[in-house]
Amino acid sequence: MVVAFVVVALISATTATALAYRDARTAILQRTQNAAVHDLREQVNTVAAGLDIPPNQLSLAQFAAKVSKGIGTGDRIVVVHYQNLRAVSDVYAYTESRITPELRTAVQTRTGARFQRVMWQGEPYLVVGMPVTFIERFNPTSDLEVYSINALHAERDDTAALLDSVRDGVVPVVLLAAALALLAAGTVLRPVRKLGRATRELAAGDLGSRVAVTGHDELSDLARTFNETADALQASDAELRDQEAKARRFVADVSHELRTPLAAMTMMVTVLEEDADQFPPDAARAARTVGAETARLAGLVEDLMEISRFDAKAARLNASETDLADTVRSSLALRGWTDRVRTRLEEDLRAVVDRRRVDVIVANLVGNALRHGAPPVTVTLGTAVAADGAWVTVEVADHGPGLPAAARERVFDRFYKADEARTRGMSDGRGQGSGLGTAIALENARLHGGTIEVADGPGGGAVFTLRLPLRRTEEGGTEGETE
């Protein structure tokens, strides 16, 4: 805006200066030209009455001197031509190149005064020429030509001074335009900058960001609309947060309230399962079904409680330096999967982790591979070094149908079912599907500062890769509970 103002002001001032200079120069030269023509005509009319025609060189010189004296000496030189005779009022002046052939031809072929501006030795001159005629004689033409050479030094100096004055006035005009532009820019752009800053703050999550509204112009309307939008967004966010908190409390409360009756049910079911062999076949089958479903329901409640702790930021790491190969083997052995899973484990690999949470992650990933994939299922433990440091990697691969791209994007969502055939969701590691297992596994990985990635295997099937930072006791600090 400042540049635009300055450019417009500069163009306007330059144009005005050029027009003023042109008009002033034209007026000055016109005035000088009219004066020179008038003076020469009047003096020639006065002096020519006493000139005998044809003149000789002496009378011609006297005529030139009288005309020059009458129109003023100094910067004016009179030159008189009569056929082959020529006389100059200033015998020392060089006038040949200042009277051009074009001007002489115009004077000789036309009546009245003629003039021409010429440059001689870098100086401007006005040359006025006119023929001398005698009206009272039978032949008015006399072949007598009179020229007046007038220096334009004063006029040049006047126009130059005028140009300097007008040009000097351009600087204050441009400075004033710049000041006005700065004022206008501050008035227009300052609210825009404030609005832009508030918008960035709002985008960054500061829903309390607002813009002061002043005036009643378009920018004020825009600021008012922004504030109304921010108010509505903040109210919606507060309402959503409140609903989310209520939903989390509801899930936690329900899960907590279900634990006591489920514990009693589990005890009763355990007794029924122990005596199932004494029941009739249908009753025994029903008892075992009730036992399995009760165990699944108990697992779902535990998963909901665990998810609630993650949502409430109450989950903590009980971290200690752990032999990861031994942790993986123990997880497989605890669930009876040792004979069903191939392992490639890097021995003596130790890192500061929460052993219980790593066990949950491994159980979930291996359980999913056994439940939804196809053998052989392989667990690989190793390390990887990247630009962001050293990592522990646990890779669980199967040779099943794999996961579609859409399923890979949502496989860690809560209660997500990859297809209709998997109606019980992804495994929770206990052989039962709660739909929360992969979500809990990912939260446990993030609690360690790691993540879980899923991809297609090179030979088919799905590959889940757990990545945890490789920290040891001397690097990870004091062992114990951490967030």
Side-chain angles (χ1 to χ4, degrees):
M1 184 174 289
V2 173
V3 172
F5 265 76
V6 171
V7 169
V8 170
L10 185 59
I11 292 175
S12 301
T14 303
T15 303
T17 300
L19 293 176
Y21 173 74
R22 185 195 66 182
D23 293 343
R25 180 174 179 273
T26 302
I28 292 173
L29 293 177
Q30 187 68 39
R31 184 188 61 197
T32 302
Q33 168 188 307
N34 293 340
V37 172
H38 178 269
D39 293 346
L40 181 61
R41 181 182 291 113
E42 291 295 323
Q43 191 62 24
V44 168
N45 290 338
T46 302
V47 177
L51 178 64
D52 294 329
I53 299 297
N56 55 31
Q57 185 63 47
L58 179 58
S59 62
L60 197 62
Q62 291 175 348
F63 178 77
K66 290 179 181 180
V67 173
S68 177
K69 183 178 180 182
I71 63 176
T73 56
D75 292 335
R76 293 185 176 183
I77 303 173
V78 175
V79 180
V80 182
H81 284 269
Y82 180 79
Q83 295 182 358
N84 294 328
L85 298 179
R86 181 174 180 273
V88 182
S89 60
D90 185 355
V91 296
Y92 299 104
Y94 180 76
T95 60
E96 288 293 333
S97 59
R98 281 184 272 186
I99 301 175
T100 63
E102 293 82 3
L103 180 59
R104 287 207 64 187
T105 302
V107 171
Q108 292 171 356
T109 58
R110 300 178 186 177
T111 60
R114 294 290 180 267
F115 60 87
Q116 185 181 34
R117 288 190 292 270
V118 298
M119 294 293 295
W120 183 69
Q121 295 184 351
E123 297 293 337
Y125 290 90
L126 174 64
V127 182
V128 180
M130 58 184 299
V132 178
T133 59
F134 298 92
I135 299 176
E136 67 278 6
R137 297 184 183 181
F138 178 76
N139 184 10
T141 60
S142 61
D143 296 333
L144 186 64
E145 306 164 21
V146 181
Y147 299 90
S148 171
I149 302 175
N150 306 273
L152 297 178
H153 302 159
E155 288 75 10
R156 178 198 57 191
D157 295 341
D158 291 343
T159 54
L162 177 62
L163 179 62
D164 292 339
S165 299
V166 177
R167 186 170 51 198
D168 292 342
V170 172
V171 176
V173 170
V174 172
L175 293 178
L176 179 60
L180 293 176
L182 288 173
L183 180 61
T187 303
V188 175
L189 298 182
R190 189 180 299 112
V192 175
R193 285 195 295 266
K194 291 181 180 179
L195 185 60
R197 182 167 55 250
T199 303
R200 289 190 294 271
E201 292 173 354
L202 190 67
D206 183 7
L207 300 183
S209 178
R210 297 293 184 274
V211 180
V213 179
T214 57
H216 302 281
D217 55 9
E218 289 80 359
L219 288 175
S220 300
D221 294 338
L222 181 60
R224 194 175 296 107
T225 302
F226 172 83
N227 290 341
E228 292 173 355
T229 303
D231 289 339
L233 182 61
Q234 189 174 29
S236 299
D237 179 75
E239 183 179 357
L240 289 175
R241 288 179 183 274
D242 183 61
Q243 292 177 357
E244 184 179 5
K246 289 179 180 179
R248 289 174 178 174
R249 284 196 301 271
F250 175 77
V251 171
D253 293 343
V254 169
S255 301
H256 181 75
E257 293 298 325
L258 287 176
R259 294 183 74 178
T260 300
L262 275 175
M265 291 174 60
T266 301
M267 293 175 60
M268 296 295 295
V269 167
T270 302
V271 173
L272 289 174
E273 287 182 328
E274 290 176 352
D275 297 336
D277 293 338
Q278 302 175 12
F279 298 159
D282 291 343
R285 187 164 50 254
R288 293 189 180 94
T289 301
V290 169
E293 291 301 321
T294 301
R296 177 176 178 270
L297 182 59
L300 176 59
V301 170
E302 290 298 326
D303 287 346
L304 288 173
M305 292 293 293
E306 185 71 5
I307 284 291
S308 298
R309 283 190 287 270
F310 282 118
D311 290 341
K313 308 297 181 184
R316 299 290 184 270
L317 282 179
N318 185 18
S320 62
E321 188 167 282
T322 304
D323 187 325
L324 295 177
D326 181 65
T327 301
V328 172
R329 275 192 291 264
S330 298
S331 180
L332 299 178
L334 180 64
R335 293 160 179 84
W337 294 339
T338 303
D339 296 335
R340 301 174 59 188
V341 177
R342 297 177 182 177
T343 58
R344 291 197 292 266
L345 309 178
E346 182 179 330
E347 300 296 335
D348 299 324
L349 177 57
R350 304 180 68 83
V352 176
V353 296
D354 187 325
R355 184 182 178 111
R356 181 185 70 83
R357 296 185 183 279
V358 172
D359 172 75
V360 171
I361 298 172
V362 172
N364 172 266
L365 298 182
V366 175
N368 284 338
L370 292 173
R371 183 183 178 89
H372 304 295
V377 174
T378 305
V379 179
T380 304
L381 171 67
T383 58
V385 179
D388 52 353
W391 297 83
V392 174
T393 60
V394 179
E395 183 180 283
V396 179
D398 64 66
H399 289 76
L403 288 170
R408 287 199 300 271
E409 295 177 357
R410 300 187 56 195
V411 70
F412 296 105
D413 292 352
R414 300 173 186 182
F415 299 107
Y416 174 69
K417 314 294 184 184
D419 55 45
E420 294 298 329
R422 301 172 183 179
T423 55
R424 293 191 179 274
M426 304 299 274
S427 171
D428 61 1
R430 293 181 292 272
Q432 306 291 336
S434 69
L436 295 173
T438 52
I440 293 174
L442 180 60
E443 293 292 346
N444 280 317
R446 288 173 175 171
L447 200 61
H448 285 84
T451 188
I452 301 177
E453 301 168 351
V454 60
D456 288 334
V463 179
F464 286 79
T465 303
L466 167 66
R467 287 165 48 89
L468 299 177
L470 179 56
R471 302 191 185 99
R472 295 185 171 86
T473 303
E474 62 273 12
E475 300 172 356
T478 305
E479 300 177 5
E481 288 191 357
T482 59
E483 290 192 9

